[in-house]
Amino acid sequence: MTGTDPHIVIVGAGQAGLQAAETLRSEGFEGRVTLLGAEPHAPYQRPPLSKAWLMDKLDPEQLTLRDPSVLERKQIDLCTGASVSAIDVRSQAVLLRDGRALAYTGLVLATGATPRQLPQAQEAGDLVRTLRSRADADAIARGLQNCAQMKLPLVVVGGGFIGLEVAASARKLGIEVTVLEAAPRLLERVLSAELSAWYARLHADRGATLIFEARIAEIRKITAHAVEVQLSDGRCIVAGLVVAGIGVTPNDELARAAGIVCENGIVVDPCGRTSVPNVVAAGDCTVRRLLDGTMLRLESVQNAVEQGRSAACALLGTDKPSLGTPWFWSDQYDMKLQIAGLSRGADTHVLRGDMGGHSFSIFHFRESRLVAVDSINAARDHMVARDLIGRQISPTAQQAGDAAFNLAKLRTVQA
């Protein structure tokens, strides 16, 4: 960085932005740190929004990641309700919609992502929702109350993690649920067909209706408290609320307008550097170019934390690349899915445990090398898998499938 008055501005006060701010302080940066958040709240956790928060089982204090007083003690200037209109990389300034301009010597873009909208729902008004923010979750919670009072079902469009978590929360509240999935199975992009079928049985057993290869023709508001979901095959569902969980789009507009290289996200190296000096990026807004030329986007708390840390260090001149084993989780009903690694391209899938019970794992291999493990209520398998994959230690398929074999021993044998 250059400049006589060091000032690092962080655009985005989510998990990645908060981590970047705190890393700057823990790494000894003594200049000014400004954390800009578009929402009115202090940094908060997003994962509970589709679960405990919807069911009113979490206090606001439990949702908050850092109280403003904590940030104040760390001399991190938190500015909530701060919307950025543009970035001037030539003059190194962030322009706010209220007319202010903040000069920076280093800039972190942690702008997150925006849920995709349903084009068929233009006539449905506020009874069709997406979930990203605390305000979104609050609106969905009110919609679920409407469903309960009117004895109308919730319709979830999209059988991905967000949609299924919302569906599970609604069922636990006693609300009828129909899940519409355009693909032939749930979680098609991230899970094997075997585990996908297991999730379909889980939701069906808990009372949810699943419709696959569903095509929506139109969603329209028919009363103040009800919408009609018209499918292309003629079926019609009257619902009290529709929640769309059909993916997100990275918020890279500011970066694009500033001339920073983007490709379905802000392109960064393993340390979070962008194509512009003194500008780094972290979290859901980013995409990494891998050694084989492919692009990788990860949407997870772990990725946001690791990239936030790496990006902050890069601004301070230290390379601490974000290269850890990717991991994710999802809580649905009383089942916790934990994923270690990326199973794309896997050619062998090995079951460890009994899928008829409540605890098992599926090990994914590519060319006899362990690349990912999906665990259901099997935290020990998950933790060992993260370590093995990160250290490039691979059990054989036979060892992985033998529940009596102690996989943790491989760490010492191959150390």
Side-chain angles (χ1 to χ4, degrees):
M1 294 185 303
T2 60
T4 55
D5 297 311
H7 181 202
I8 295 180
V9 175
I10 303 168
V11 182
Q15 191 85 58
L18 173 65
Q19 184 63 55
E22 295 189 324
T23 299
L24 289 169
R25 289 304 186 219
S26 65
E27 291 292 318
F29 179 68
E30 296 180 351
R32 185 180 172 195
V33 176
T34 300
L35 182 60
L36 302 175
E39 295 183 57
H41 312 289
Y44 62 87
Q45 305 177 68
R46 294 191 190 276
L49 294 179
S50 57
K51 299 176 280 289
W53 189 257
L54 280 188
M55 295 184 288
D56 197 25
K57 292 186 176 181
L58 204 65
D59 294 329
E61 295 77 15
Q62 294 173 291
L63 193 71
T64 301
L65 279 167
R66 297 292 183 275
D67 187 87
S69 63
V70 175
L71 299 179
E72 186 177 353
R73 286 198 298 272
K74 294 182 178 182
Q75 295 184 307
I76 296 170
D77 297 329
L78 172 65
C79 299
T80 58
S83 181
V84 176
S85 60
I87 300 164
D88 188 334
V89 296
R90 287 187 136 186
S91 63
Q92 296 197 167
V94 172
L95 310 178
L96 304 183
R97 294 195 187 279
D98 62 9
R100 288 181 293 163
L102 298 177
Y104 67 81
T105 51
L107 177 64
V108 182
L109 298 177
T111 48
T114 298
R116 295 192 180 101
Q117 304 294 315
L118 284 170
Q120 306 94 331
Q122 295 180 0
E123 303 299 322
D126 58 3
L127 294 182
V128 175
R129 296 285 182 176
T130 56
L131 177 55
R132 181 72 181 182
S133 67
R134 179 172 161 177
D136 294 335
D138 290 342
I140 291 173
R142 292 191 295 271
L144 292 178
Q145 291 174 357
N146 174 57
C147 288
Q149 292 168 0
M150 302 293 294
K151 298 189 181 333
L152 289 172
L154 163 72
V155 169
V156 173
V157 181
F161 286 133
I162 290 293
L164 293 179
E165 288 171 0
V166 171
S169 297
R171 285 301 302 136
K172 290 171 79 170
L173 292 170
I175 296 167
E176 184 181 339
V177 174
T178 296
V179 177
L180 304 178
E181 170 54 57
R185 59 185 178 89
L186 300 176
L187 297 159
E188 186 178 45
R189 291 190 304 118
V190 292
L191 296 185
S192 65
E194 191 176 25
L195 190 51
S196 176
W198 183 88
Y199 264 105
R201 290 192 297 272
L202 172 67
H203 281 270
D205 288 347
R206 301 301 173 96
T209 299
L210 308 176
I211 300 177
F212 295 104
E213 299 184 276
R215 299 292 182 269
I216 298 174
E218 183 184 16
I219 304 175
R220 61 188 185 91
K221 200 169 188 177
I222 53 175
T223 72
H225 303 289
V227 292
E228 186 177 76
V229 182
Q230 183 76 44
L231 302 184
S232 58
D233 63 6
R235 281 182 288 182
C236 183
I237 305 167
V238 176
L241 178 69
V242 175
V243 174
I246 55 174
V248 298
T249 302
N251 294 333
D252 60 7
E253 300 89 348
L254 286 172
R256 285 180 182 276
I260 298 169
V261 173
C262 297
E263 190 174 330
N264 189 32
I266 304 169
V267 178
V268 297
D269 71 5
C271 292
R273 297 184 184 89
T274 70
S275 60
V276 172
N278 300 326
V279 179
V280 296
D284 290 359
C285 64
T286 67
V287 61
R288 274 181 280 178
R289 192 182 303 278
L290 303 181
L291 293 177
D292 62 4
T294 60
M295 307 299 283
L296 176 65
R297 284 197 66 242
L298 296 174
E299 300 164 17
S300 70
V301 170
Q302 174 241 2
N303 183 63
V305 169
E306 292 192 1
Q307 280 196 317
R309 185 181 298 118
S310 295
C313 289
L315 285 180
L316 301 181
T318 303
D319 280 11
K320 291 189 178 179
S322 176
L323 300 174
T325 302
W327 57 272
F328 317 84
W329 82 90
S330 176
D331 293 316
Q332 298 170 41
Y333 305 108
D334 53 350
M335 302 296 176
K336 177 180 282 291
L337 167 67
Q338 293 173 289
I339 300 174
L342 302 172
S343 61
R344 65 184 184 184
D347 50 40
T348 303
H349 314 278
V350 177
L351 173 64
R352 183 181 179 88
D354 179 11
M355 291 188 76
H358 296 294
S359 177
F360 63 89
S361 295
I362 298 179
F363 284 64
H364 306 279
F365 295 82
R366 184 169 59 242
E367 298 177 352
S368 300
R369 172 66 60 179
L370 181 66
V371 294
V373 178
D374 303 330
S375 300
I376 299 290
N377 291 347
R380 179 175 174 78
D381 283 356
H382 173 71
M383 295 307 296
V384 172
R386 277 167 54 179
D387 190 31
L388 292 178
I389 295 169
R391 295 164 61 180
Q392 297 186 338
I393 297 173
S394 183
T396 65
Q398 183 178 2
Q399 290 169 338
D402 181 0
F405 180 80
N406 186 358
L407 293 169
K409 286 185 177 180
L410 294 174
R411 296 180 292 188
T412 56
V413 172
Q414 300 188 36

